[in-house]
Amino acid sequence: MTTTSAPVVGDTEPAPEQGVSTVERASGGSRFPFWGRALVGGVAGVVLVLAALTVASVPGEVLLALLAVATLLVPTSRELSRRILVAGPVLLGGLPMLWWWKLPLADVGGHAGLLLALLVGGVGAWLLAGPRPLRRARLLLPRVRWVDGVLAVAVLVAAWVYLPSLRPSSPEVALSRLLRGWDNSAHFDMASMLYHHGVVISHIEPGPLGQWSYAQYPQGFHTVTATVMEALLGPGADADPGVVLATYARSMTLVVLLAVAMVLAGICSLPALRRRPFVAFPALMFVVATFTLGPGGMLLHDGFPNFIVAVAFVSAIPLLVVQMTRPLSPVFLAALGGAAVGIAHNWSLLLSMGALGVVAVFFPRTRLRWTTDRRAWVAPAVITLITLVGLAQAWTMLRHQPGLGNLLGIGGGVTPVPLGQLVLTSVGAVAACVFLLVQNRRPHGPWSGDAVRTAWTGLVPLAGIGFAAALAFTQIRAQGDVAYYFWKYSIAVELVSSVVLVVALVMALRPVGVRRTVGVRAVGACALVVTGVAALLVYGLPKVLPTSLGGGVAPGGVARADFVALGHAAVPAQDAIDLVAAARAPRPESDGPRTFLPYPWGQQVPPMMSAQWFDALTGRWIDQTQRLLPNENPTGSSPQDAIDAARKVLRAEPDVIVVVGPQYVDAVKDAVADEGWSDRVQSW
């Protein structure tokens, strides 16, 4: 028989509320005494939801809204913000596991419908597992505090920054924006393949030309994005390539926004901020500015949405461990496991930071935090096993990638962060944790459990500083300068450090020794609001102002202005128009590879990028065609240049089909007719 653990000496709140979930408390003295009816009720709930989704035609937006509501009804905590913090890593990090098998989900809204059914069934089983289901039902509604209103404001700010990507006016406009980042074609290809085939790429049968590209690339972010795409379009629908592209742009941005919201909710869930909404305001504004306007502001623009999600998972780890009064809390362990799997399936190098964040769970070292009931170890053991399976699956893919030494020399289009800003934020986070440790040390008294765990989270930015320094040393020694992976990892260090810095400063706050009259409260609230606005502008203005007003614009503001300008342009980028038209054009079925030659060349998009986008949009990106992609910019854009490029490709591969613009297709066909290649030249 298990009981709720006793309060831990020195913690800021008693253990029954902090670090112990509603699930664990509501069962009373006996855990799940009515497991038989709970099992029946849970299965019935799953079946009923799947049946309802099969019979009724539920719009995609409604399905996603129902999924969000069902997620927030899971009683992992009484606090709304903490429920979001826990649900984020579990769902966003664990969702790839549902894509390991091809499931018959076409009639139930895809994986989103399956997830909704599982959540409803799980909540129903929990309700029936206790002696008083109606009484337990009251715990489904979370407690909403004023600080949750501040959270809503911060999420709205992030949504405003990402709004252009959330609302593409046409596929051509969406592609015009995605062409700003080279990696976007690969991310779209993976999400599109998942959407059309319903399973991870490594489990898709190879095509007639061989293995699909990115079969051994971890697809955590992409499975979540494909889940949203399924809900909006219907699973595996034979949709127009342009519609799929525009839906991907919306879905991808929504997933990034959810990841940022998870981090913001984690800050609001801190016990020190629950009743201090005005203090939470500047903290949230600083973090949302760092992720969307400052060092993280160019990530979506540069084509790294999966990287943002991975950084959000790393940032969630210190927010979780700080609140873990009980190290064996299944709810928090599940969230930590989901975060670890999410990092591994998105940008595994960040595990170097996240792994050290878990160390804080073991502090303070007191026996009161550990239960003596052996049955209490069962759930943590199961969660650990599932986490290891998820990590092992990521490893099976990563072991096929080039070695770390080869990766470090790879180039890429990432916007560097100012080195001084990086050092200030990361070292400041470590210093704040050290200060907190010193501040809470008492010569003859206990340490605060929250404070000591917060102090130990300083290992996260410290590990980031060390790994970034090692990257810099290796790259400078090998090639004389730092490169892509150093700058990308450094951005992650700064983003995560901003979260740790905020947590440490919040935990270090002490009541001011002033009589708290109405006037004093009003002045303090106004001061904190002004501080919050200043924190939002710490990296620059979020919007481009008229030249006469001056003022530097934050990197995220520059990216947003660029996306807005592309949306308001009278005509989208010609490269985007051509690619969408080429992907939509009907073509005779052929087992041979196709390659896109961007003629006439607009001198804006590299030919290889255009060819990769054509392969992604048509769902024919395979490893074999990679060597056929043009890797040099054309010296000209005349019909003769197109003819020369076509001949070079046609001679290299006997079965290849080249696709050129309608302006030059006749000239190219006539020029290669003598070699018998005219039937291997197509257009749109």
Side-chain angles (χ1 to χ4, degrees):
M1 175 172 172
T2 60
T3 59
T4 55
S5 61
V8 178
V9 177
D11 278 345
T12 55
E13 292 192 18
E17 173 59 26
Q18 182 184 356
V20 184
S21 72
T22 303
V23 173
E24 296 166 13
R25 296 196 308 274
S27 57
S30 179
R31 181 166 302 202
F32 307 135
F34 302 97
W35 62 268
R37 74 178 187 185
L39 179 61
V40 173
V43 173
V46 172
V47 172
L48 287 175
V49 172
L50 293 178
L53 292 174
T54 303
V55 174
S57 178
V58 181
E61 291 80 1
V62 175
L63 177 58
L64 293 176
L66 291 174
L67 182 58
V69 172
T71 302
L72 295 180
L73 287 178
V74 178
T76 52
S77 172
R78 286 294 290 150
E79 306 297 330
L80 174 62
S81 54
R82 182 183 282 180
R83 289 193 185 189
I84 298 174
L85 171 64
V86 169
V90 173
L91 295 185
L92 300 182
L95 190 58
M97 297 183 183
L98 292 181
W99 287 80
W100 293 350
W101 305 274
K102 187 172 179 60
L103 303 173
L105 303 174
D107 297 328
V108 297
H111 290 77
L114 174 63
L115 191 57
L116 175 62
L118 293 175
L119 286 172
V120 172
V123 171
W126 178 81
L127 286 174
L128 297 173
R132 298 176 181 176
L134 293 179
R135 185 176 180 180
R136 291 162 71 87
R138 291 183 296 180
L139 296 175
L140 296 181
L141 295 179
R143 181 187 294 124
V144 181
R145 299 180 183 270
W146 285 109
V147 73
D148 297 319
V150 181
L151 169 62
V153 172
V155 173
L156 286 175
V157 172
W160 176 83
V161 176
Y162 294 143
L163 189 60
S165 296
L166 282 169
R167 297 168 53 190
S169 57
S170 68
E172 291 79 8
V173 169
L175 185 53
S176 297
R177 292 166 176 160
L178 293 171
L179 286 172
R180 296 302 200 200
W182 193 297
D183 286 10
N184 278 322
S185 59
H187 294 307
F188 169 76
D189 177 67
M190 285 182 271
S192 178
M193 291 291 288
L194 286 161
Y195 166 71
H196 283 104
H197 295 274
V199 68
V200 291
I201 300 177
S202 59
H203 294 174
I204 301 174
E205 288 293 329
L209 300 178
Q211 181 63 55
W212 302 104
S213 291
Y214 302 106
Q216 302 303 329
Y217 190 97
Q219 296 147 38
F221 156 80
H222 312 91
T223 56
V224 182
T225 302
T227 300
V228 179
M229 294 171 65
E230 282 185 332
L232 296 176
L233 288 180
D238 189 16
D240 173 81
V243 175
V244 174
L245 176 65
T247 305
Y248 165 78
R250 293 174 58 196
S251 305
M252 171 263 295
T253 311
L254 180 60
V255 172
V256 170
L257 180 60
L258 290 175
V260 174
M262 172 188 67
V263 177
L264 298 174
I267 295 172
C268 288
S269 70
L270 296 172
L273 291 180
R274 285 182 191 163
R275 297 176 178 86
R276 305 164 85 177
F278 287 105
V279 177
F281 182 69
L284 289 179
M285 289 300 104
F286 174 68
V287 173
V288 76
T290 304
F291 271 77
T292 65
L293 295 173
M298 294 297 293
L299 289 175
L300 195 63
H301 184 275
D302 291 345
F304 308 122
N306 64 322
F307 182 73
I308 303 176
V309 175
V311 173
F313 284 137
V314 180
S315 302
I317 290 177
L319 295 169
L320 288 164
V321 298
V322 164
Q323 304 180 60
M324 287 185 67
T325 300
R326 290 178 55 201
L328 296 181
S329 169
V331 169
F332 280 87
L333 287 177
L336 285 176
V341 174
I343 297 168
H345 283 266
N346 283 287
W347 218 71
S348 56
L349 279 182
L350 295 181
L351 286 172
S352 58
M353 278 196 288
L356 285 183
V358 182
V359 173
V361 172
F362 301 99
F363 293 90
R365 293 180 295 175
T366 171
R367 292 182 179 180
L368 292 175
R369 302 181 65 231
W370 301 85
T371 180
T372 58
D373 189 342
R374 294 182 179 179
R375 288 181 297 176
W377 289 81
V378 174
V382 173
I383 292 169
T384 302
L385 178 61
I386 295 174
T387 301
L388 291 176
V389 170
L391 294 175
Q393 176 68 9
W395 169 247
T396 60
M397 298 182 181
L398 293 170
R399 64 188 178 91
H400 295 287
Q401 301 295 319
L404 183 60
N406 296 328
L407 283 175
L408 297 183
I410 293 177
V414 63
T415 303
V417 294
L419 191 59
Q421 176 182 294
L422 166 66
V423 173
L424 180 64
T425 306
S426 55
V427 174
V430 175
C433 291
V434 173
F435 170 77
L436 183 64
L437 193 63
V438 174
Q439 183 191 47
N440 285 272
R441 185 72 183 257
R442 297 289 184 265
H444 304 290
W447 295 13
S448 164
D450 285 351
V452 71
R453 282 190 294 276
T454 302
W456 278 99
T457 61
L459 290 175
V460 178
L462 189 62
I465 294 171
F467 196 84
L471 282 176
F473 175 79
T474 304
Q475 291 180 339
I476 292 174
R477 187 176 181 181
Q479 53 198 42
D481 199 359
V482 294
Y484 169 74
Y485 268 91
F486 168 79
W487 289 117
K488 200 169 179 181
Y489 190 89
S490 297
I491 293 173
V493 173
E494 185 168 355
L495 294 178
V496 176
S497 296
S498 70
V499 175
V500 174
L501 176 62
V502 164
V503 175
L505 292 178
V506 166
M507 295 300 300
L509 289 177
R510 292 293 181 267
V512 181
V514 179
R515 186 179 179 184
R516 302 173 70 180
T517 62
V518 175
V520 170
R521 290 174 181 267
V523 172
C526 291
L528 289 171
V529 170
V530 172
T531 304
V533 175
L536 183 63
L537 304 177
V538 67
Y539 300 103
L541 298 174
K543 186 176 177 62
V544 178
L545 298 179
T547 307
S548 59
L549 296 178
V553 181
V558 174
R560 186 183 190 280
D562 183 44
F563 281 174
V564 169
L566 289 172
H568 290 168
V571 179
Q574 188 60 47
D575 298 281
I577 295 175
D578 290 344
L579 282 167
V580 173
R584 283 172 164 168
R587 287 190 171 78
E589 287 297 325
S590 171
D591 291 337
R594 296 188 183 123
T595 188
F596 182 85
L597 300 179
Y599 290 94
W601 186 48
Q603 300 184 357
Q604 298 296 322
V605 179
M608 179 175 285
M609 180 188 286
S610 297
Q612 289 176 342
W613 267 110
F614 177 77
D615 287 345
L617 288 167
T618 55
R620 297 175 63 90
W621 196 339
I622 60 174
D623 291 338
Q624 180 182 345
T625 57
Q626 282 288 100
R627 62 185 178 85
L628 300 176
L629 300 180
N631 56 9
E632 297 178 356
N633 288 342
T635 57
S637 187
S638 66
Q640 186 59 48
D641 293 312
I643 293 169
D644 293 340
R647 277 185 172 145
K648 182 178 179 181
V649 175
L650 291 169
R651 285 171 182 160
E653 178 62 44
D655 298 325
V656 70
I657 294 174
V658 297
V659 180
V660 298
Q663 302 95 320
Y664 292 171
V665 63
D666 291 335
V668 174
K669 281 187 174 184
D670 293 342
V672 300
D674 293 341
E675 291 92 337
W677 295 337
S678 58
D679 60 336
R680 292 164 56 191
V681 179
Q682 297 179 0
S683 185
W684 58 89

